Amino acid sequence: QKEVEQNSGPLSVPEGAIASLNCTYSDRGSQSFFWYRQYSGKSPELIMSIYSNGDKEDGRFTAQLNKASQYVSLLIRDSQPSDSATYLCAVVGGNTPLVFGKGTRLSVIA
Amino acid sequence: DAGVIQSPRHEVTEMGQEVTLRCKPISGHNSLFWYRQTMMRGLELLIYFNNNVPIDDSGMPEDRFSAKMPNASFSTLKIQPSEPRDSAVYFCASGDRATDTQYFGPGTRLTVL
């Protein structure tokens, strides 16, 4: 059973701070890693993808991947109240499609 | 591109009735996924297709659920007969196998009374 684990939260951060979201996965053969954002009542929205070890930056978002530790994280700089949502980590294994974690609820306090 | 289109957006039906959910994927994508999301169980993969061929339906809860993809631009998920425990949001996602990325439709909120 391939698993993706996330802290369910809620994670509360003040406006302007850095929010750090973490995810671990069980399948060592995993090759593609994604972060989705889901607002309440809406569908998941792809915000970041990362395929190799290291950091990938896109605007205020940075995804970090460490395959040796089977760990992927998402940093959100200068957090805004509009970033308040559930963040889903998703992983693609060798022969499996996307496996989702249960999500971390982020609350940015103005 | 209009993105993934799902219909209906909301469906309220009575137990025992047949329910058909529809999905139009993004043009050029070669994978299609059906998910169900509930508060208790999170996002569950029901079935997925590559190039219109069903690859894995192990997530389909029982024989009451069936899915088809007759062509690259259309898929259906059918529940017959429906039960109250089927109440959930059902998402269709369109996938690009070259990058493993998936893009979700707006979902269908199903309520079975």
Side-chain angles (χ1 to χ4, degrees):
Chain A
Q1 180 80 2
K2 297 177 173 56
E3 295 183 346
V4 176
E5 299 288 341
Q6 296 181 253
N7 188 320
S8 63
L11 172 67
S12 294
V13 300
E15 183 176 359
I18 296 175
S20 178
L21 304 161
N22 304 313
C23 171
T24 59
Y25 58 94
S26 63
D27 182 6
R28 191 167 285 278
S30 297
Q31 56 199 23
S32 305
F33 307 84
F34 305 89
W35 283 98
Y36 286 79
R37 177 177 62 199
Q38 187 174 24
Y39 292 113
S40 180
K42 301 295 186 181
S43 59
E45 173 192 10
L46 178 64
I47 56 171
M48 288 289 287
S49 60
I50 186 167
Y51 301 95
S52 55
N53 279 330
D55 295 359
K56 179 181 177 182
E57 186 175 317
D58 184 0
R60 294 186 297 112
F61 298 100
T62 298
Q64 299 176 317
L65 175 61
N66 184 325
K67 289 186 178 180
S69 299
Q70 296 176 239
Y71 176 92
V72 58
S73 65
L74 179 71
L75 302 178
I76 307 174
R77 290 181 300 281
D78 188 24
S79 296
Q80 302 297 309
S82 59
D83 295 325
S84 298
T86 297
Y87 290 80
L88 300 165
C89 174
V91 175
V92 175
N95 290 307
T96 58
L98 230 48
V99 177
F100 282 86
K102 294 199 181 303
T104 297
R105 192 154 48 95
L106 172 67
S107 178
V108 180
I109 311 301
Chain B
D1 196 328
V4 180
I5 299 172
Q6 289 188 248
S7 64
R9 296 291 306 276
H10 301 273
E11 177 81 20
V12 180
T13 191
E14 293 189 345
M15 182 173 62
Q17 296 298 305
E18 177 178 298
V19 174
T20 299
L21 311 181
R22 297 173 175 79
C23 175
K24 177 178 169 54
I26 294 170
S27 177
H29 280 187
N30 45 22
S31 294
L32 184 138
F33 303 79
W34 283 101
Y35 293 89
R36 177 172 70 176
Q37 188 174 41
T38 61
M39 289 293 292
M40 291 294 295
R41 300 172 69 93
L43 199 58
E44 302 174 277
L45 176 64
L46 301 177
I47 184 171
Y48 76 98
F49 298 81
N50 285 342
N51 297 320
N52 314 337
V53 176
I55 302 300
D56 184 355
D57 65 354
S58 60
M60 299 283 259
E62 48 199 276
D63 292 346
R64 298 184 297 105
F65 286 69
S66 62
K68 294 181 179 180
M69 191 165 187
N71 57 61
S73 59
F74 184 66
S75 177
T76 59
L77 177 68
K78 185 175 293 186
I79 309 172
Q80 166 64 18
S82 58
E83 297 183 4
R85 60 192 167 122
D86 302 331
S87 297
V89 180
Y90 290 81
F91 291 108
C92 171
S94 179
D96 178 0
R97 290 173 64 194
T99 58
D100 288 331
T101 51
Q102 292 184 26
Y103 298 89
F104 283 73
T108 296
R109 182 173 296 277
L110 173 65
T111 302
V112 183
L113 302 174

